[in-house]
Amino acid sequence: MRRRKSGLRDVAQLAGVDVSTVSRVLTGNLQQRVSSETRTRILEAAKALDYQPNALARGLRTSRTATLGIVVPQLDNPVFSSAIRGAELAAGRLAYSLLIAHRDSGQRIGGAYRRLAETHRVDGLLVASLDSDRDLLVELRGTGVPFVLMNRQAAGAANAVVLDNERAARMAVGHLVGLGHRRIAHLAGRLEGYNGQGRLAGFRAALAEAGLDPQSAPVEPAGYSVEGGAAAMQRLLASGEPQPTAVFAASLISATGALGVLHAAGIAVPRGMSVVALHDAPVASMVYPALTTVRTPTQEMGEKAAEMLIGLIRGEASGGTIVLPPDDLVVRASTAPPAD
Amino acid sequence: MRRRKSGLRDVAQLAGVDVSTVSRVLTGNLQQRVSSETRTRILEAAKALDYQPNALARGLRTSRTATLGIVVPQLDNPVFSSAIRGAELAAGRLAYSLLIAHRDSGQRIGGAYRRLAETHRVDGLLVASLDSDRDLLVELRGTGVPFVLMNRQAAGAANAVVLDNERAARMAVGHLVGLGHRRIAHLAGRLEGYNGQGRLAGFRAALAEAGLDPQSAPVEPAGYSVEGGAAAMQRLLASGEPQPTAVFAASLISATGALGVLHAAGIAVPRGMSVVALHDAPVASMVYPALTTVRTPTQEMGEKAAEMLIGLIRGEASGGTIVLPPDDLVVRASTAPPAD
DNA sequence: CTGTTAGCGCCTTCAT
DNA sequence: ATGAAGGCGCTAACAG
């Protein structure tokens, strides 16, 4: 019972004009010279027929697909899912769609990117990857489409949207210092990575500002997993006296792992140990005690990245690196003045 | 320095044959009559030029895009992100891509679906929605492409992949009963929804089997949010004696909300109250105490749904409803025998 | 077994 | 201000 999908030709016929005129009106980017009379006639016809352009035909002709590819290492990480959401919002506003692909781990690096780009499915790539810089960039360049990195920076990659890690870390550590903590440890991210390094630097800077010795402060790499956070916390507790009274975790996820270890060790939070983490997400209030966090603009990161990419595709923008400041500190139940 | 992308014509030229022959070989679904000599020659040429078919041109010609649209209400929900992951895996195996869209809440229902389907971007739709049945189905039918529902069933929709809610609920409640609990409450899902009803039914069935009275057991609708779970737990605690010794939550997320309320009320888990929830995800071990859950095959749900949809698109399958059994019970720290 | 032909639906010079 | 014509890259009859 459903009629055949109507094309440009049907609209043209109904409006009594040539298809090329219809195309001019409906594409309508330039203020084409078309009598406003026929223009309205065409617009009406298009609406009457509920005309929808065939994206394939248009893409074939213009060699642009109005589609962005997005490649993420994991979907269950709130940082990425939120960035995707942002990218999707921004893309939608600019009439772009999002084609999603996981990094097929185990495959040759970049397989996902290539497939998308080389079959003319996407006009550009949004990349949130954990790969080592060199291989990643080579593959990305090989695709021949513009790309924007999200949540990381890589030497030689011009376009990226990242968090101001240093400032975020200082916000977190500043909170601890303000509460009176003097022995503060850091559950770091990946020390080889962009974010891990920035957060560590911010941690040390904040300590120095407070008149504490950055070099003697314990730092345990924890990565961005629950297990990593747990292991790092364990090492921290095992590593002799005097124990810190507070820890700053580089990520919400690793902080939850640390919380588990503290529970198991019988150390009350925040009485025996204050915990503050970077990134805010629903999980922060699901754990016990609810975690004090620094809210980070992850959704905005996706939005900015998509906007930048579309700008690059359209040749309107020049790329660069956007550094987003952290939103604010969300004080919950996991931080308090030190007991001693 | 990157050479122009090579097309069918380049391959044909290099192999010294006509493009149509190349097409036959490279499409190669049917055992086309082509001399194995020229076939290998073409294959070599294609490899030498690193030929990649232009998906747009192919799609325009065949009116199939090898792309599935997936519409989800939220990305940060582990159930959905895991289902997406599964869909992506299955689609990839069958050479399909995934175009993602959020339900643009606030817009007219189905806007997301329509945009994807009516511009010939997708061959079919994977739908995980929370909308009321009627509107959803009307919109979906209007798109003219086949669709498969994930994690829900709707009257009149032939194709769906769902969880065996009743069995999952019985698994959870059976665990509680086995521990010796007699006063068991249910933090239900949405009682109007498919999943909520199934889980409630399973809850009551399990009680009846254990010789307990299903009708007198407290049931509080909690939805699938942290806040809903907290509010429901609060109502439960306020609703007079005798209090239950255990609760079965219809979802992991609402269970975390309930945990928070129990902490605040000074009720120890599991000593004062056992908690078991449906769905397993990393969050289950992030909360304190780590939640005992029933693991559900959410990723498989996505896989099955994608496989079914592709079967429908290819005209090879006939659809239907697949009911997936729960995986198993994961006993963590939130359940124990009742104290009294 | 292989080449020829004819579009898929659209955009875009080039005329008029 | 509008129409005519060509072709994006590919596949699918139909010839040979």
Side-chain angles (χ1 to χ4, degrees), chain B residues 39-103:
Chain B
R39 147 168 280 122
T40 53
R41 197 145 37 89
I42 288 172
L43 258 22
E44 281 171 9
K47 187 183 298 180
L49 294 174
D50 189 32
Y51 169 75
Q52 298 290 135
N54 183 322
L56 265 40
R58 178 177 282 180
L60 179 57
R61 188 56 237 254
T62 61
S63 64
R64 293 197 294 99
T65 61
T67 303
L68 268 30
I70 185 164
V71 190
V72 292
Q74 32 177 341
L75 229 40
D76 50 350
N77 186 319
V79 174
F80 294 125
S81 66
S82 162
I84 292 179
R85 174 74 181 138
E88 209 254 346
L89 281 173
R93 278 197 294 268
L94 297 165
Y96 273 71
S97 299
L98 232 52
L99 206 45
I100 197 170
H102 275 85
R103 267 238 339 99

Side-chain angles (χ1 to χ4, degrees), chain B residues 129-163:
Chain B
S129 167
L130 302 170
D131 294 314
S132 73
D133 298 355
R134 187 181 327 192
D135 297 339
L136 173 66
L137 288 180
V138 169
E139 287 291 344
L140 245 19
R141 294 237 175 71
T143 63
V145 301
F147 62 91
V148 173
L149 263 31
M150 294 190 303
N151 195 37
R152 70 169 296 189
Q153 174 64 289
N159 312 316
V161 181
V162 296
L163 170 70

Side-chain angles (χ1 to χ4, degrees), chain B:
Chain B
M1 193 47 252
R2 39 194 335 285
R3 64 206 182 293
R4 194 180 54 74
K5 225 171 145 353
S6 48
L8 222 40
R9 191 169 39 199
D10 307 274
V11 180
Q13 198 171 336
L14 181 57
V17 294
D18 187 84
V19 290
S20 60
T21 308
V22 179
S23 173
R24 272 187 282 256
V25 171
L26 264 24
T27 307
N29 37 4
L30 327 173
Q31 64 276 37
Q32 296 280 170
R33 286 95 47 90
V34 178
S35 86
S36 61
E37 184 186 355
T38 56
R39 147 168 280 122
T40 53
R41 197 145 37 89
I42 288 172
L43 258 22
E44 281 171 9
K47 187 183 298 180
L49 294 174
D50 189 32
Y51 169 75
Q52 298 290 135
N54 183 322
L56 265 40
R58 178 177 282 180
L60 179 57
R61 188 56 237 254
T62 61
S63 64
R64 293 197 294 99
T65 61
T67 303
L68 268 30
I70 185 164
V71 190
V72 292
Q74 32 177 341
L75 229 40
D76 50 350
N77 186 319
V79 174
F80 294 125
S81 66
S82 162
I84 292 179
R85 174 74 181 138
E88 209 254 346
L89 281 173
R93 278 197 294 268
L94 297 165
Y96 273 71
S97 299
L98 232 52
L99 206 45
I100 197 170
H102 275 85
R103 267 238 339 99
D104 13 6
S105 52
Q107 303 241 127
R108 71 154 194 258
I109 293 180
Y113 316 98
R114 300 189 72 91
R115 229 192 5 244
L116 290 184
E118 299 194 343
T119 56
H120 287 184
R121 278 201 212 305
V122 301
D123 294 339
L125 253 14
L126 251 24
V127 181
S129 167
L130 302 170
D131 294 314
S132 73
D133 298 355
R134 187 181 327 192
D135 297 339
L136 173 66
L137 288 180
V138 169
E139 287 291 344
L140 245 19
R141 294 237 175 71
T143 63
V145 301
F147 62 91
V148 173
L149 263 31
M150 294 190 303
N151 195 37
R152 70 169 296 189
Q153 174 64 289
N159 312 316
V161 181
V162 296
L163 170 70
D164 188 338
N165 284 303
E166 194 160 327
R167 200 157 139 200
R170 291 160 77 138
M171 200 177 263
V173 177
H175 170 61
L176 261 19
V177 168
L179 287 171
H181 291 277
R182 290 293 171 267
R183 296 197 308 278
I184 304 174
H186 181 34
L187 296 186
R190 295 192 318 125
L191 293 181
E192 325 83 72
Y194 174 79
N195 288 321
Q197 288 174 359
R199 289 165 202 181
L200 174 57
F203 169 70
R204 293 196 164 137
L207 291 184
E209 268 172 30
L212 304 171
D213 176 23
Q215 295 315 317
S216 68
V219 173
E220 286 291 347
Y224 304 106
S225 67
V226 178
E227 298 74 26
M233 191 70 219
Q234 218 129 32
R235 289 197 302 274
L236 204 58
L237 293 181
S239 72
E241 320 298 308
Q243 277 196 359
T245 60
V247 299
F248 159 53
S251 87
L252 182 54
I253 304 301
S254 56
T256 65
L259 275 188
V261 169
L262 289 170
H263 282 131
I267 298 177
V269 176
R271 197 185 317 263
M273 183 85 72
S274 282
V275 179
V276 60
L278 228 58
H279 288 140
D280 197 59
V283 141
S285 22
M286 292 186 197
V287 298
Y288 184 80
L291 274 168
T292 295
T293 63
V294 173
R295 222 153 44 97
T296 54
T298 47
Q299 176 166 321
E300 191 184 350
M301 188 176 290
E303 294 185 51
K304 294 289 187 214
E307 285 166 5
M308 181 190 282
L309 181 55
I310 292 171
L312 288 166
I313 290 167
R314 293 183 172 164
E316 298 166 354
S318 53
T321 295
I322 297 181
V323 180
L324 297 175
D327 290 317
D328 52 17
L329 185 77
V330 183
V331 179
R332 296 200 181 84
S334 67
T335 48
D340 46 289

